[in-house]
Amino acid sequence: MTAPAASNNLHSKLPDVGTTIFTVMSALANECGALNMSQGFPDYDGPEALREALGRHAMAGDNQYAPMAGVLALREQIAAKLLRYYGIEANPDTEITVAPGATEAIYCAITACIQPGDEAIVFDPCFDSYEPAITLSGGIARHIAMSEVDFSIDWDVVESTINERTRLIIINSPHNPSGAILNDVDLRRLESLVTQQHNLYVVSDEVYEHLVFDGERHCSILQYPGLRERSFAAFSFGKTFHITGWKTGYCVAPPALTAELRKVHQFVTFVAVTPVQLALADFMAAEPDFPASLAEFYQAKRDLFCDSLKSSRFGVRPSAGTYFQLLDYSPISDELDTELAVRYTREQGIASIPISVFCEAPPAGGYLRFCFAKREEMLLKGAEILCKI
Ligand code: GLN
């Protein structure tokens, strides 16, 4: 007897979703031996003391489940960091939850908020994990396009989109993929919109919080009292300590929201990895200033990459934040960005991320996203290839 065919009767809950563009482009880059500036990860390691601490804790036998909310020593370090960098007080017991990656924290926050038929506002181009989480909870994503010039948000459009079914607004600053940042004026406007409504919440993806350039400072949603009381803010150790593969982040939310978040989190992954949390707690206690060094570190990379592109035909508007740089290829080609990204990987040996995949309606202009969390020689090599196109 032959086994039944693979479950082709399964009615997909995510019929329009394929493999993420990050996985697709990194795999293609590897297959072609191309310079991989697509998926966002550094080509250098996290601090030695941090990696040593992980080995030490693993060897010392710290290898069983952590508490569901996270190792207390790490939650205390997170509270100290919030105070140090933003002047924000957060209770490690009731307001901070360690998660196996910010993506999991965001998934749990969305799941905690969205009931069938609820609407969630997202801003295009928007990170690809948000909408599937909304859909799986029976919600509907309402996409609002950011400006195609500077990727700002038109809050009047947000105001007119909010209705009695709107349950959630998902923001992301510094913004992946554009690098744009929300400023104080943006967050005040959001605060006034949200506080006029009952039962409207915010998920704020702040994973690139320390990667803000040109003397600007990151505005956290947690600094605005009207937003603080109805927001879930997600952060990432991967971006801050160059350890994306450790998949560890955290969520800060007021006690009532944290309680609902944890109800979901405990059945999605239950906990984050124990020795990783202990290593992070040690490192943060020893090096509390490490995150403050990132802006200069990444600004130098952004500048090197952008300056080296001066003679190229691409349009370059240096990123305000993140470790991503958009290049406008409209002076060069009118191909679809999805096709161009594949062609450049195969023919030019450089991989990037097309941004139309993050949009409900394809943007009019053409942009490709390049990750500049790379060593100097890689940035120069990337720019050299791009200058010849
Ligand atoms: N956040 C990373 C990026 O934008 C990738 C995350 C992932 O691969 N899912 O490139």
Side-chain angles (χ1 to χ4, degrees):
M1 233 180 100
T2 52
S7 51
N8 54 5
N9 290 328
L10 183 65
H11 184 66
S12 176
K13 297 182 85 172
L14 297 170
D16 301 326
V17 169
T19 305
T20 83
I21 191 69
F22 309 110
T23 301
V24 169
M25 292 310 300
S26 270
L28 186 64
N30 288 338
E31 183 191 313
C32 302
L35 194 63
N36 189 4
M37 295 183 78
S38 63
Q39 191 177 27
F41 62 88
D43 70 348
Y44 35 86
D45 246 327
E48 208 169 303
L50 177 59
R51 289 181 286 127
E52 271 171 7
L54 174 60
R56 198 173 59 244
H57 283 292
M59 295 315 290
D62 296 320
N63 297 308
Q64 308 311 327
Y65 296 126
M68 186 267 278
V71 164
L72 181 59
L74 179 57
R75 282 181 284 133
E76 286 170 352
Q77 285 304 319
I78 293 167
K81 178 177 175 297
L82 290 166
L83 195 60
R84 185 185 190 94
Y85 285 91
Y86 304 112
I88 297 161
E89 295 203 15
N91 183 321
D93 288 328
T94 57
E95 297 190 297
I96 297 172
T97 308
V98 180
T103 301
E104 195 258 8
I106 291 168
Y107 180 88
C108 294
I110 292 171
T111 305
C113 290
I114 295 292
Q115 309 265 0
D118 284 348
E119 292 183 4
I121 292 176
V122 297
F123 299 97
D124 285 356
C126 102
F127 190 65
D128 64 351
S129 81
Y130 307 157
E131 182 160 4
I134 297 162
T135 307
L136 288 171
S137 281
I140 297 143
R142 297 287 306 269
H143 294 256
I144 295 178
M146 299 165 94
S147 151
E148 274 182 37
V149 180
D150 61 3
F151 294 88
S152 58
I153 289 174
D154 183 338
W155 294 105
D156 292 337
V157 175
V158 179
E159 184 164 14
S160 63
T161 305
I162 292 173
N163 63 69
E164 69 282 0
R165 288 184 303 278
T166 312
R167 192 69 53 241
L168 194 60
I169 299 177
I170 305 179
I171 59 168
N172 169 215
S173 174
H175 178 246
N176 178 7
S178 74
I181 53 179
L182 294 176
N183 60 29
D184 181 57
V185 175
D186 291 306
L187 290 183
R188 280 184 202 285
R189 183 74 195 276
L190 176 64
E191 185 177 36
S192 90
L193 289 178
V194 166
T195 49
Q196 283 164 30
Q197 309 290 324
H198 295 295
N199 216 8
L200 179 53
Y201 300 90
V202 178
V203 167
S204 182
D205 176 348
E206 303 186 20
V207 298
Y208 299 98
E209 61 179 320
H210 297 294
L211 281 58
V212 172
F213 313 131
D214 306 314
E216 298 293 328
R217 282 187 70 87
H218 173 58
C219 297
S220 173
I221 198 156
L222 302 173
Q223 293 168 298
Y224 298 79
L227 293 171
R228 171 82 168 92
E229 62 187 24
R230 50 182 80 209
S231 297
F232 301 83
F235 300 90
S236 164
F237 294 115
K239 280 70 174 176
T240 298
F241 297 118
H242 316 314
I243 46 158
T244 60
W246 287 21
K247 287 299 301 173
T248 308
Y250 55 100
C251 182
V252 183
L257 300 190
T258 291
E260 291 305 315
L261 174 97
R262 289 180 183 172
K263 286 184 194 174
V264 180
H265 164 71
Q266 67 185 343
F267 296 124
V268 174
T269 54
F270 180 46
V271 280
V273 176
T274 304
V276 164
Q277 295 187 61
L278 289 164
L280 284 163
D282 289 353
F283 185 76
M284 289 168 79
E287 302 274 355
D289 290 329
F290 185 91
S293 67
L294 291 173
E296 197 186 331
F297 176 78
Y298 278 110
Q299 185 170 330
K301 292 191 179 297
R302 178 202 66 175
D303 290 346
L304 179 68
F305 186 54
C306 290
D307 290 349
S308 309
L309 288 169
K310 285 243 159 76
S311 67
S312 86
R313 293 192 290 154
F314 291 94
V316 187
R317 193 187 170 99
S319 275
T322 73
Y323 47 46
F324 303 117
Q325 179 62 51
L326 290 186
L327 297 184
D328 174 5
Y329 66 80
S330 54
I332 301 174
S333 167
D334 53 15
E335 277 175 77
L336 290 174
D337 61 353
T338 43
E339 287 167 14
L340 201 62
V342 169
R343 197 160 69 75
Y344 283 173
T345 308
R346 290 191 195 286
E347 295 174 9
Q348 307 286 343
I350 186 162
S352 58
I353 295 287
I355 76 158
S356 63
V357 299
F358 306 125
C359 303
E360 183 176 55
Y367 289 104
L368 294 173
R369 189 199 78 174
F370 293 80
C371 173
F372 58 79
K374 305 294 166 196
R375 283 165 289 153
E376 215 174 288
E377 61 265 34
M378 291 300 164
L379 295 173
L380 293 173
K381 176 88 188 113
E384 190 189 316
I385 295 172
L386 293 168
C387 283
K388 289 195 189 127
I389 293 175

